[in-house]
Amino acid sequence: MIDPPRAEVADAIAQCHQAGIQVTMVTVDYGLTAEAISQQMGLVDGKARVVTGEERGHLSE
């Protein structure tokens, strides 16, 4: 099964980065899947920081 990001997402993310806006992706996908998609969309350059639901529960506000 494949559910690729919409074509305009990469351009929107690039515009956000140019404007100094930090974009965060929240998903319930498996971590490696989320990382691959974030790289495909241009959200990250290199390794993405993936936080699991369990890890998120231990983060400070």
mmCIF file of all heavy atoms in Angstrom:
data_model
loop_
_atom_site.group_PDB
_atom_site.id
_atom_site.type_symbol
_atom_site.label_atom_id
_atom_site.label_comp_id
_atom_site.label_asym_id
_atom_site.label_seq_id
_atom_site.Cartn_x
_atom_site.Cartn_y
_atom_site.Cartn_z
ATOM 1 N N MET A 1 0.852 -1.173 0.000
ATOM 2 C CA MET A 1 0.000 0.000 0.000
ATOM 3 C C MET A 1 0.896 1.234 0.000
ATOM 4 O O MET A 1 1.871 1.304 0.728
ATOM 5 C CB MET A 1 -0.882 -0.026 1.242
ATOM 6 C CG MET A 1 -1.874 1.080 1.275
ATOM 7 S SD MET A 1 -3.084 0.794 2.560
ATOM 8 C CE MET A 1 -2.631 2.065 3.693
ATOM 9 N N ILE A 2 0.538 2.186 -0.799
ATOM 10 C CA ILE A 2 1.335 3.412 -0.880
ATOM 11 C C ILE A 2 0.414 4.619 -0.760
ATOM 12 O O ILE A 2 -0.664 4.635 -1.333
ATOM 13 C CB ILE A 2 2.140 3.417 -2.191
ATOM 14 C CG1 ILE A 2 3.538 3.928 -1.941
ATOM 15 C CG2 ILE A 2 1.504 4.217 -3.256
ATOM 16 C CD1 ILE A 2 4.454 3.728 -3.103
ATOM 17 N N ASP A 3 0.808 5.559 0.021
ATOM 18 C CA ASP A 3 0.042 6.797 0.205
ATOM 19 C C ASP A 3 1.039 7.952 0.166
ATOM 20 O O ASP A 3 1.420 8.486 1.208
ATOM 21 C CB ASP A 3 -0.707 6.752 1.534
ATOM 22 C CG ASP A 3 -1.642 7.937 1.720
ATOM 23 O OD1 ASP A 3 -1.913 8.652 0.731
ATOM 24 O OD2 ASP A 3 -2.087 8.157 2.859
ATOM 25 N N PRO A 4 1.482 8.321 -1.038
ATOM 26 C CA PRO A 4 2.520 9.351 -1.139
ATOM 27 C C PRO A 4 1.991 10.727 -0.736
ATOM 28 O O PRO A 4 0.793 10.993 -0.822
ATOM 29 C CB PRO A 4 2.896 9.327 -2.620
ATOM 30 C CG PRO A 4 1.668 8.832 -3.310
ATOM 31 C CD PRO A 4 1.013 7.879 -2.338
ATOM 32 N N PRO A 5 2.898 11.606 -0.306
ATOM 33 C CA PRO A 5 2.484 12.972 0.014
ATOM 34 C C PRO A 5 1.975 13.669 -1.249
ATOM 35 O O PRO A 5 2.399 13.350 -2.360
ATOM 36 C CB PRO A 5 3.768 13.646 0.506
ATOM 37 C CG PRO A 5 4.775 12.573 0.647
ATOM 38 C CD PRO A 5 4.307 11.384 -0.094
ATOM 39 N N ARG A 6 1.085 14.605 -1.084
ATOM 40 C CA ARG A 6 0.592 15.368 -2.227
ATOM 41 C C ARG A 6 1.749 16.131 -2.861
ATOM 42 O O ARG A 6 2.691 16.532 -2.178
ATOM 43 C CB ARG A 6 -0.511 16.318 -1.778
ATOM 44 C CG ARG A 6 -1.741 15.548 -1.355
ATOM 45 C CD ARG A 6 -2.850 16.338 -0.755
ATOM 46 N NE ARG A 6 -2.951 17.718 -1.136
ATOM 47 C CZ ARG A 6 -3.785 18.574 -0.572
ATOM 48 N NH1 ARG A 6 -4.566 18.179 0.414
ATOM 49 N NH2 ARG A 6 -3.835 19.826 -0.954
ATOM 50 N N ALA A 7 1.657 16.336 -4.152
ATOM 51 C CA ALA A 7 2.750 16.938 -4.927
ATOM 52 C C ALA A 7 3.167 18.306 -4.402
ATOM 53 O O ALA A 7 4.344 18.655 -4.428
ATOM 54 C CB ALA A 7 2.345 17.031 -6.391
ATOM 55 N N GLU A 8 2.235 19.093 -3.913
ATOM 56 C CA GLU A 8 2.544 20.465 -3.485
ATOM 57 C C GLU A 8 3.180 20.553 -2.097
ATOM 58 O O GLU A 8 3.616 21.627 -1.671
ATOM 59 C CB GLU A 8 1.291 21.345 -3.547
ATOM 60 C CG GLU A 8 0.161 20.916 -2.631
ATOM 61 C CD GLU A 8 -0.817 19.915 -3.227
ATOM 62 O OE1 GLU A 8 -0.519 19.298 -4.264
ATOM 63 O OE2 GLU A 8 -1.884 19.731 -2.625
ATOM 64 N N VAL A 9 3.268 19.441 -1.391
ATOM 65 C CA VAL A 9 3.795 19.470 -0.027
ATOM 66 C C VAL A 9 5.264 19.901 0.009
ATOM 67 O O VAL A 9 5.654 20.729 0.829
ATOM 68 C CB VAL A 9 3.612 18.094 0.661
ATOM 69 C CG1 VAL A 9 4.356 18.033 1.979
ATOM 70 C CG2 VAL A 9 2.137 17.814 0.877
ATOM 71 N N ALA A 10 6.081 19.360 -0.877
ATOM 72 C CA ALA A 10 7.512 19.692 -0.878
ATOM 73 C C ALA A 10 7.716 21.184 -1.105
ATOM 74 O O ALA A 10 8.558 21.807 -0.438
ATOM 75 C CB ALA A 10 8.248 18.879 -1.940
ATOM 76 N N ASP A 11 6.952 21.787 -2.021
ATOM 77 C CA ASP A 11 7.073 23.230 -2.264
ATOM 78 C C ASP A 11 6.636 24.041 -1.043
ATOM 79 O O ASP A 11 7.263 25.033 -0.690
ATOM 80 C CB ASP A 11 6.241 23.651 -3.475
ATOM 81 C CG ASP A 11 6.857 23.204 -4.796
ATOM 82 O OD1 ASP A 11 8.086 22.967 -4.831
ATOM 83 O OD2 ASP A 11 6.110 23.095 -5.780
ATOM 84 N N ALA A 12 5.561 23.609 -0.394
ATOM 85 C CA ALA A 12 5.075 24.319 0.792
ATOM 86 C C ALA A 12 6.110 24.263 1.917
ATOM 87 O O ALA A 12 6.354 25.259 2.602
ATOM 88 C CB ALA A 12 3.750 23.723 1.262
ATOM 89 N N ILE A 13 6.740 23.104 2.090
ATOM 90 C CA ILE A 13 7.766 22.963 3.121
ATOM 91 C C ILE A 13 8.970 23.834 2.790
ATOM 92 O O ILE A 13 9.522 24.505 3.670
ATOM 93 C CB ILE A 13 8.169 21.485 3.297
ATOM 94 C CG1 ILE A 13 7.016 20.720 3.957
ATOM 95 C CG2 ILE A 13 9.439 21.350 4.124
ATOM 96 C CD1 ILE A 13 7.211 19.227 4.021
ATOM 97 N N ALA A 14 9.368 23.855 1.525
ATOM 98 C CA ALA A 14 10.497 24.696 1.111
ATOM 99 C C ALA A 14 10.203 26.168 1.383
ATOM 100 O O ALA A 14 11.070 26.911 1.857
ATOM 101 C CB ALA A 14 10.796 24.477 -0.368
ATOM 102 N N GLN A 15 8.979 26.609 1.116
ATOM 103 C CA GLN A 15 8.599 27.994 1.380
ATOM 104 C C GLN A 15 8.641 28.298 2.879
ATOM 105 O O GLN A 15 9.076 29.380 3.288
ATOM 106 C CB GLN A 15 7.205 28.292 0.819
ATOM 107 C CG GLN A 15 7.175 28.343 -0.692
ATOM 108 C CD GLN A 15 5.770 28.565 -1.233
ATOM 109 O OE1 GLN A 15 4.857 28.917 -0.506
ATOM 110 N NE2 GLN A 15 5.602 28.332 -2.531
ATOM 111 N N CYS A 16 8.205 27.363 3.683
ATOM 112 C CA CYS A 16 8.265 27.541 5.141
ATOM 113 C C CYS A 16 9.710 27.676 5.594
ATOM 114 O O CYS A 16 10.037 28.567 6.388
ATOM 115 C CB CYS A 16 7.601 26.367 5.855
ATOM 116 S SG CYS A 16 5.805 26.342 5.730
ATOM 117 N N HIS A 17 10.574 26.816 5.101
ATOM 118 C CA HIS A 17 11.995 26.875 5.485
ATOM 119 C C HIS A 17 12.601 28.211 5.077
ATOM 120 O O HIS A 17 13.351 28.810 5.851
ATOM 121 C CB HIS A 17 12.771 25.720 4.861
ATOM 122 C CG HIS A 17 12.497 24.394 5.497
ATOM 123 N ND1 HIS A 17 12.917 23.212 4.956
ATOM 124 C CD2 HIS A 17 11.844 24.058 6.639
ATOM 125 C CE1 HIS A 17 12.546 22.202 5.731
ATOM 126 N NE2 HIS A 17 11.888 22.701 6.755
ATOM 127 N N GLN A 18 12.267 28.695 3.877
ATOM 128 C CA GLN A 18 12.794 29.981 3.406
ATOM 129 C C GLN A 18 12.307 31.128 4.289
ATOM 130 O O GLN A 18 13.007 32.118 4.467
ATOM 131 C CB GLN A 18 12.388 30.230 1.958
ATOM 132 C CG GLN A 18 13.113 29.325 0.981
ATOM 133 C CD GLN A 18 12.569 29.449 -0.443
ATOM 134 O OE1 GLN A 18 11.559 30.101 -0.682
ATOM 135 N NE2 GLN A 18 13.247 28.812 -1.382
ATOM 136 N N ALA A 19 11.115 30.981 4.851
ATOM 137 C CA ALA A 19 10.548 32.020 5.709
ATOM 138 C C ALA A 19 10.994 31.879 7.163
ATOM 139 O O ALA A 19 10.589 32.663 8.013
ATOM 140 C CB ALA A 19 9.017 31.976 5.639
ATOM 141 N N GLY A 20 11.805 30.856 7.447
ATOM 142 C CA GLY A 20 12.288 30.658 8.809
ATOM 143 C C GLY A 20 11.315 29.908 9.701
ATOM 144 O O GLY A 20 11.456 29.913 10.924
ATOM 145 N N ILE A 21 10.337 29.264 9.105
ATOM 146 C CA ILE A 21 9.340 28.513 9.869
ATOM 147 C C ILE A 21 9.822 27.076 10.034
ATOM 148 O O ILE A 21 10.177 26.411 9.060
ATOM 149 C CB ILE A 21 7.973 28.527 9.154
ATOM 150 C CG1 ILE A 21 7.472 29.960 9.019
ATOM 151 C CG2 ILE A 21 6.966 27.646 9.889
ATOM 152 C CD1 ILE A 21 6.273 30.109 8.102
ATOM 153 N N GLN A 22 9.845 26.595 11.259
ATOM 154 C CA GLN A 22 10.235 25.220 11.535
ATOM 155 C C GLN A 22 8.992 24.337 11.417
ATOM 156 O O GLN A 22 7.989 24.571 12.093
ATOM 157 C CB GLN A 22 10.833 25.093 12.929
ATOM 158 C CG GLN A 22 11.312 23.706 13.251
ATOM 159 C CD GLN A 22 11.914 23.606 14.645
ATOM 160 O OE1 GLN A 22 11.977 24.574 15.393
ATOM 161 N NE2 GLN A 22 12.352 22.422 14.997
ATOM 162 N N VAL A 23 9.051 23.341 10.558
ATOM 163 C CA VAL A 23 7.912 22.456 10.315
ATOM 164 C C VAL A 23 8.114 21.160 11.079
ATOM 165 O O VAL A 23 9.203 20.587 11.067
ATOM 166 C CB VAL A 23 7.766 22.156 8.802
ATOM 167 C CG1 VAL A 23 6.564 21.259 8.547
ATOM 168 C CG2 VAL A 23 7.651 23.453 8.008
ATOM 169 N N THR A 24 7.070 20.690 11.746
ATOM 170 C CA THR A 24 7.102 19.429 12.480
ATOM 171 C C THR A 24 6.030 18.512 11.914
ATOM 172 O O THR A 24 4.893 18.937 11.704
ATOM 173 C CB THR A 24 6.835 19.659 13.976
ATOM 174 O OG1 THR A 24 7.832 20.538 14.492
ATOM 175 C CG2 THR A 24 6.852 18.364 14.759
ATOM 176 N N MET A 25 6.382 17.275 11.676
ATOM 177 C CA MET A 25 5.423 16.292 11.178
ATOM 178 C C MET A 25 5.021 15.390 12.340
ATOM 179 O O MET A 25 5.881 14.856 13.039
ATOM 180 C CB MET A 25 6.049 15.450 10.059
ATOM 181 C CG MET A 25 5.121 14.373 9.528
ATOM 182 S SD MET A 25 5.773 13.471 8.094
ATOM 183 C CE MET A 25 7.037 12.465 8.851
ATOM 184 N N VAL A 26 3.722 15.228 12.530
ATOM 185 C CA VAL A 26 3.199 14.334 13.556
ATOM 186 C C VAL A 26 2.440 13.232 12.825
ATOM 187 O O VAL A 26 1.545 13.514 12.026
ATOM 188 C CB VAL A 26 2.269 15.065 14.537
ATOM 189 C CG1 VAL A 26 1.687 14.103 15.554
ATOM 190 C CG2 VAL A 26 3.007 16.206 15.209
ATOM 191 N N THR A 27 2.798 11.983 13.080
ATOM 192 C CA THR A 27 2.177 10.861 12.394
ATOM 193 C C THR A 27 2.178 9.638 13.298
ATOM 194 O O THR A 27 2.943 9.578 14.259
ATOM 195 C CB THR A 27 2.928 10.550 11.074
ATOM 196 O OG1 THR A 27 2.278 9.460 10.413
ATOM 197 C CG2 THR A 27 4.378 10.209 11.321
ATOM 198 N N VAL A 28 1.352 8.701 12.975
ATOM 199 C CA VAL A 28 1.356 7.428 13.707
ATOM 200 C C VAL A 28 2.077 6.351 12.908
ATOM 201 O O VAL A 28 2.064 5.184 13.283
ATOM 202 C CB VAL A 28 -0.082 6.963 14.061
ATOM 203 C CG1 VAL A 28 -0.722 7.930 15.027
ATOM 204 C CG2 VAL A 28 -0.923 6.779 12.812
ATOM 205 N N ASP A 29 2.716 6.753 11.796
ATOM 206 C CA ASP A 29 3.507 5.805 11.007
ATOM 207 C C ASP A 29 4.672 5.266 11.826
ATOM 208 O O ASP A 29 5.128 5.888 12.771
ATOM 209 C CB ASP A 29 4.075 6.469 9.752
ATOM 210 C CG ASP A 29 3.084 6.539 8.610
ATOM 211 O OD1 ASP A 29 2.190 5.683 8.556
ATOM 212 O OD2 ASP A 29 3.215 7.456 7.778
ATOM 213 N N TYR A 30 5.180 4.134 11.409
ATOM 214 C CA TYR A 30 6.398 3.548 11.967
ATOM 215 C C TYR A 30 7.529 4.564 11.776
ATOM 216 O O TYR A 30 7.590 5.274 10.776
ATOM 217 C CB TYR A 30 6.678 2.236 11.250
ATOM 218 C CG TYR A 30 7.909 1.513 11.703
ATOM 219 C CD1 TYR A 30 7.989 0.983 12.981
ATOM 220 C CD2 TYR A 30 8.991 1.354 10.851
ATOM 221 C CE1 TYR A 30 9.131 0.307 13.399
ATOM 222 C CE2 TYR A 30 10.127 0.675 11.258
ATOM 223 C CZ TYR A 30 10.183 0.162 12.536
ATOM 224 O OH TYR A 30 11.313 -0.508 12.957
ATOM 225 N N GLY A 31 8.425 4.666 12.730
ATOM 226 C CA GLY A 31 9.478 5.680 12.728
ATOM 227 C C GLY A 31 10.310 5.732 11.460
ATOM 228 O O GLY A 31 10.554 6.811 10.914
ATOM 229 N N LEU A 32 10.740 4.572 10.952
ATOM 230 C CA LEU A 32 11.553 4.562 9.734
ATOM 231 C C LEU A 32 10.745 5.021 8.526
ATOM 232 O O LEU A 32 11.263 5.691 7.634
ATOM 233 C CB LEU A 32 12.137 3.164 9.483
ATOM 234 C CG LEU A 32 13.197 2.712 10.481
ATOM 235 C CD1 LEU A 32 13.624 1.273 10.191
ATOM 236 C CD2 LEU A 32 14.400 3.642 10.455
ATOM 237 N N THR A 33 9.466 4.683 8.497
ATOM 238 C CA THR A 33 8.593 5.144 7.418
ATOM 239 C C THR A 33 8.445 6.654 7.478
ATOM 240 O O THR A 33 8.558 7.349 6.461
ATOM 241 C CB THR A 33 7.207 4.474 7.519
ATOM 242 O OG1 THR A 33 7.368 3.062 7.469
ATOM 243 C CG2 THR A 33 6.277 4.937 6.412
ATOM 244 N N ALA A 34 8.199 7.177 8.666
ATOM 245 C CA ALA A 34 8.051 8.623 8.843
ATOM 246 C C ALA A 34 9.327 9.352 8.442
ATOM 247 O O ALA A 34 9.277 10.405 7.790
ATOM 248 C CB ALA A 34 7.690 8.939 10.290
ATOM 249 N N GLU A 35 10.473 8.802 8.800
ATOM 250 C CA GLU A 35 11.748 9.429 8.447
ATOM 251 C C GLU A 35 11.933 9.455 6.929
ATOM 252 O O GLU A 35 12.321 10.478 6.358
ATOM 253 C CB GLU A 35 12.914 8.694 9.098
ATOM 254 C CG GLU A 35 14.251 9.318 8.785
ATOM 255 C CD GLU A 35 15.410 8.658 9.507
ATOM 256 O OE1 GLU A 35 15.227 7.604 10.138
ATOM 257 O OE2 GLU A 35 16.513 9.217 9.430
ATOM 258 N N ALA A 36 11.629 8.354 6.260
ATOM 259 C CA ALA A 36 11.766 8.292 4.803
ATOM 260 C C ALA A 36 10.845 9.294 4.123
ATOM 261 O O ALA A 36 11.243 9.988 3.176
ATOM 262 C CB ALA A 36 11.476 6.877 4.309
ATOM 263 N N ILE A 37 9.620 9.405 4.598
ATOM 264 C CA ILE A 37 8.669 10.350 4.020
ATOM 265 C C ILE A 37 9.130 11.783 4.264
ATOM 266 O O ILE A 37 9.046 12.634 3.376
ATOM 267 C CB ILE A 37 7.255 10.115 4.592
ATOM 268 C CG1 ILE A 37 6.712 8.776 4.090
ATOM 269 C CG2 ILE A 37 6.314 11.259 4.224
ATOM 270 C CD1 ILE A 37 5.458 8.312 4.780
ATOM 271 N N SER A 38 9.650 12.063 5.463
ATOM 272 C CA SER A 38 10.106 13.425 5.766
ATOM 273 C C SER A 38 11.269 13.822 4.870
ATOM 274 O O SER A 38 11.370 14.972 4.439
ATOM 275 C CB SER A 38 10.479 13.569 7.243
ATOM 276 O OG SER A 38 11.642 12.820 7.550
ATOM 277 N N GLN A 39 12.131 12.870 4.547
ATOM 278 C CA GLN A 39 13.241 13.152 3.631
ATOM 279 C C GLN A 39 12.729 13.359 2.212
ATOM 280 O O GLN A 39 13.177 14.259 1.500
ATOM 281 C CB GLN A 39 14.272 12.025 3.682
ATOM 282 C CG GLN A 39 15.020 11.985 4.989
ATOM 283 C CD GLN A 39 15.878 10.744 5.150
ATOM 284 O OE1 GLN A 39 15.730 9.771 4.432
ATOM 285 N NE2 GLN A 39 16.765 10.783 6.137
ATOM 286 N N GLN A 40 11.764 12.550 1.814
ATOM 287 C CA GLN A 40 11.173 12.650 0.474
ATOM 288 C C GLN A 40 10.513 14.018 0.264
ATOM 289 O O GLN A 40 10.594 14.588 -0.811
ATOM 290 C CB GLN A 40 10.144 11.534 0.291
ATOM 291 C CG GLN A 40 9.396 11.556 -1.020
ATOM 292 C CD GLN A 40 8.303 10.499 -1.067
ATOM 293 O OE1 GLN A 40 8.107 9.725 -0.146
ATOM 294 N NE2 GLN A 40 7.575 10.482 -2.153
ATOM 295 N N MET A 41 9.895 14.555 1.306
ATOM 296 C CA MET A 41 9.197 15.842 1.213
ATOM 297 C C MET A 41 10.126 17.036 1.396
ATOM 298 O O MET A 41 9.698 18.168 1.253
ATOM 299 C CB MET A 41 8.101 15.927 2.280
ATOM 300 C CG MET A 41 6.995 14.940 2.128
ATOM 301 S SD MET A 41 5.662 15.169 3.328
ATOM 302 C CE MET A 41 6.517 15.228 4.889
ATOM 303 N N GLY A 42 11.381 16.781 1.760
ATOM 304 C CA GLY A 42 12.295 17.887 2.007
ATOM 305 C C GLY A 42 12.144 18.491 3.384
ATOM 306 O O GLY A 42 12.621 19.588 3.653
ATOM 307 N N LEU A 43 11.458 17.784 4.269
ATOM 308 C CA LEU A 43 11.257 18.280 5.632
ATOM 309 C C LEU A 43 12.571 18.299 6.404
ATOM 310 O O LEU A 43 12.815 19.200 7.194
ATOM 311 C CB LEU A 43 10.225 17.415 6.356
ATOM 312 C CG LEU A 43 9.812 17.825 7.754
ATOM 313 C CD1 LEU A 43 9.199 19.208 7.756
ATOM 314 C CD2 LEU A 43 8.827 16.832 8.328
ATOM 315 N N VAL A 44 13.400 17.300 6.172
ATOM 316 C CA VAL A 44 14.710 17.218 6.823
ATOM 317 C C VAL A 44 15.785 17.022 5.773
ATOM 318 O O VAL A 44 15.535 16.499 4.692
ATOM 319 C CB VAL A 44 14.777 16.071 7.858
ATOM 320 C CG1 VAL A 44 13.815 16.290 8.984
ATOM 321 C CG2 VAL A 44 14.565 14.731 7.207
ATOM 322 N N ASP A 45 16.972 17.438 6.116
ATOM 323 C CA ASP A 45 18.130 17.221 5.262
ATOM 324 C C ASP A 45 19.072 16.321 6.042
ATOM 325 O O ASP A 45 19.754 16.777 6.949
ATOM 326 C CB ASP A 45 18.799 18.556 4.925
ATOM 327 C CG ASP A 45 19.977 18.403 3.993
ATOM 328 O OD1 ASP A 45 20.070 17.365 3.319
ATOM 329 O OD2 ASP A 45 20.806 19.322 3.943
ATOM 330 N N GLY A 46 19.042 15.043 5.749
ATOM 331 C CA GLY A 46 19.831 14.091 6.521
ATOM 332 C C GLY A 46 18.933 13.300 7.443
ATOM 333 O O GLY A 46 17.793 12.999 7.128
ATOM 334 N N LYS A 47 19.442 12.999 8.623
ATOM 335 C CA LYS A 47 18.714 12.169 9.580
ATOM 336 C C LYS A 47 17.641 12.978 10.305
ATOM 337 O O LYS A 47 17.888 14.077 10.778
ATOM 338 C CB LYS A 47 19.702 11.585 10.594
ATOM 339 C CG LYS A 47 19.091 10.661 11.594
ATOM 340 C CD LYS A 47 19.693 9.277 11.487
ATOM 341 C CE LYS A 47 19.150 8.351 12.520
ATOM 342 N NZ LYS A 47 17.979 7.630 12.096
ATOM 343 N N ALA A 48 16.454 12.406 10.376
ATOM 344 C CA ALA A 48 15.339 13.049 11.069
ATOM 345 C C ALA A 48 15.348 12.656 12.544
ATOM 346 O O ALA A 48 15.802 11.570 12.908
ATOM 347 C CB ALA A 48 14.013 12.632 10.449
ATOM 348 N N ARG A 49 14.836 13.526 13.389
ATOM 349 C CA ARG A 49 14.644 13.185 14.804
ATOM 350 C C ARG A 49 13.258 12.571 14.917
ATOM 351 O O ARG A 49 12.259 13.238 14.667
ATOM 352 C CB ARG A 49 14.738 14.428 15.677
ATOM 353 C CG ARG A 49 14.483 14.103 17.139
ATOM 354 C CD ARG A 49 14.577 15.331 18.018
ATOM 355 N NE ARG A 49 14.256 14.967 19.388
ATOM 356 C CZ ARG A 49 13.641 15.756 20.240
ATOM 357 N NH1 ARG A 49 13.323 16.986 19.877
ATOM 358 N NH2 ARG A 49 13.383 15.359 21.452
ATOM 359 N N VAL A 50 13.211 11.310 15.267
ATOM 360 C CA VAL A 50 11.946 10.594 15.406
ATOM 361 C C VAL A 50 11.694 10.369 16.889
ATOM 362 O O VAL A 50 12.543 9.839 17.597
ATOM 363 C CB VAL A 50 11.982 9.242 14.652
ATOM 364 C CG1 VAL A 50 10.698 8.465 14.883
ATOM 365 C CG2 VAL A 50 12.227 9.472 13.169
ATOM 366 N N VAL A 51 10.531 10.788 17.352
ATOM 367 C CA VAL A 51 10.144 10.621 18.750
ATOM 368 C C VAL A 51 8.931 9.691 18.780
ATOM 369 O O VAL A 51 7.913 9.970 18.154
ATOM 370 C CB VAL A 51 9.775 11.982 19.393
ATOM 371 C CG1 VAL A 51 9.344 11.798 20.838
ATOM 372 C CG2 VAL A 51 10.941 12.949 19.293
ATOM 373 N N THR A 52 9.040 8.590 19.491
ATOM 374 C CA THR A 52 7.930 7.646 19.605
ATOM 375 C C THR A 52 6.900 8.165 20.602
ATOM 376 O O THR A 52 7.164 9.092 21.373
ATOM 377 C CB THR A 52 8.426 6.270 20.066
ATOM 378 O OG1 THR A 52 8.908 6.395 21.408
ATOM 379 C CG2 THR A 52 9.497 5.715 19.156
ATOM 380 N N GLY A 53 5.736 7.554 20.587
ATOM 381 C CA GLY A 53 4.698 7.937 21.528
ATOM 382 C C GLY A 53 5.145 7.775 22.969
ATOM 383 O O GLY A 53 4.881 8.614 23.826
ATOM 384 N N GLU A 54 5.855 6.698 23.252
ATOM 385 C CA GLU A 54 6.349 6.476 24.609
ATOM 386 C C GLU A 54 7.352 7.557 25.009
ATOM 387 O O GLU A 54 7.300 8.096 26.121
ATOM 388 C CB GLU A 54 7.002 5.100 24.720
ATOM 389 C CG GLU A 54 7.474 4.778 26.118
ATOM 390 C CD GLU A 54 8.065 3.377 26.225
ATOM 391 O OE1 GLU A 54 7.788 2.532 25.372
ATOM 392 O OE2 GLU A 54 8.831 3.164 27.190
ATOM 393 N N GLU A 55 8.278 7.879 24.101
ATOM 394 C CA GLU A 55 9.272 8.931 24.383
ATOM 395 C C GLU A 55 8.591 10.282 24.570
ATOM 396 O O GLU A 55 8.996 11.074 25.411
ATOM 397 C CB GLU A 55 10.297 9.008 23.255
ATOM 398 C CG GLU A 55 11.195 7.798 23.153
ATOM 399 C CD GLU A 55 12.015 7.797 21.886
ATOM 400 O OE1 GLU A 55 11.593 8.363 20.869
ATOM 401 O OE2 GLU A 55 13.108 7.192 21.913
ATOM 402 N N ARG A 56 7.557 10.529 23.778
ATOM 403 C CA ARG A 56 6.843 11.794 23.865
ATOM 404 C C ARG A 56 6.235 11.978 25.257
ATOM 405 O O ARG A 56 6.215 13.083 25.801
ATOM 406 C CB ARG A 56 5.729 11.858 22.817
ATOM 407 C CG ARG A 56 5.014 13.168 22.800
ATOM 408 C CD ARG A 56 3.847 13.131 21.813
ATOM 409 N NE ARG A 56 2.978 14.257 22.024
ATOM 410 C CZ ARG A 56 2.000 14.305 22.894
ATOM 411 N NH1 ARG A 56 1.735 13.279 23.654
ATOM 412 N NH2 ARG A 56 1.257 15.376 23.031
ATOM 413 N N GLY A 57 5.803 10.906 25.851
ATOM 414 C CA GLY A 57 5.224 10.967 27.180
ATOM 415 C C GLY A 57 6.215 11.396 28.249
ATOM 416 O O GLY A 57 5.815 11.837 29.334
ATOM 417 N N HIS A 58 7.504 11.303 27.956
ATOM 418 C CA HIS A 58 8.546 11.674 28.927
ATOM 419 C C HIS A 58 9.157 13.047 28.658
ATOM 420 O O HIS A 58 10.046 13.478 29.393
ATOM 421 C CB HIS A 58 9.658 10.611 28.930
ATOM 422 C CG HIS A 58 9.180 9.249 29.328
ATOM 423 N ND1 HIS A 58 8.792 8.935 30.608
ATOM 424 C CD2 HIS A 58 8.990 8.115 28.599
ATOM 425 C CE1 HIS A 58 8.407 7.681 30.658
ATOM 426 N NE2 HIS A 58 8.513 7.166 29.453
ATOM 427 N N LEU A 59 8.691 13.725 27.596
ATOM 428 C CA LEU A 59 9.237 15.058 27.271
ATOM 429 C C LEU A 59 8.641 16.105 28.201
ATOM 430 O O LEU A 59 7.486 15.995 28.638
ATOM 431 C CB LEU A 59 8.921 15.435 25.827
ATOM 432 C CG LEU A 59 9.570 14.583 24.737
ATOM 433 C CD1 LEU A 59 9.050 15.007 23.370
ATOM 434 C CD2 LEU A 59 11.076 14.691 24.786
ATOM 435 N N SER A 60 9.408 17.133 28.477
ATOM 436 C CA SER A 60 8.878 18.242 29.288
ATOM 437 C C SER A 60 8.023 19.135 28.385
ATOM 438 O O SER A 60 8.098 19.071 27.172
ATOM 439 C CB SER A 60 10.004 19.050 29.906
ATOM 440 O OG SER A 60 10.747 19.698 28.884
ATOM 441 N N GLU A 61 7.209 19.942 29.003
ATOM 442 C CA GLU A 61 6.368 20.864 28.237
ATOM 443 C C GLU A 61 7.240 21.876 27.552
ATOM 444 O O GLU A 61 6.952 22.438 26.576
ATOM 445 C CB GLU A 61 5.361 21.541 29.162
ATOM 446 C CG GLU A 61 4.496 20.536 29.853
ATOM 447 C CD GLU A 61 3.032 20.687 29.537
ATOM 448 O OE1 GLU A 61 2.644 21.633 28.844
ATOM 449 O OE2 GLU A 61 2.279 19.834 30.003
#
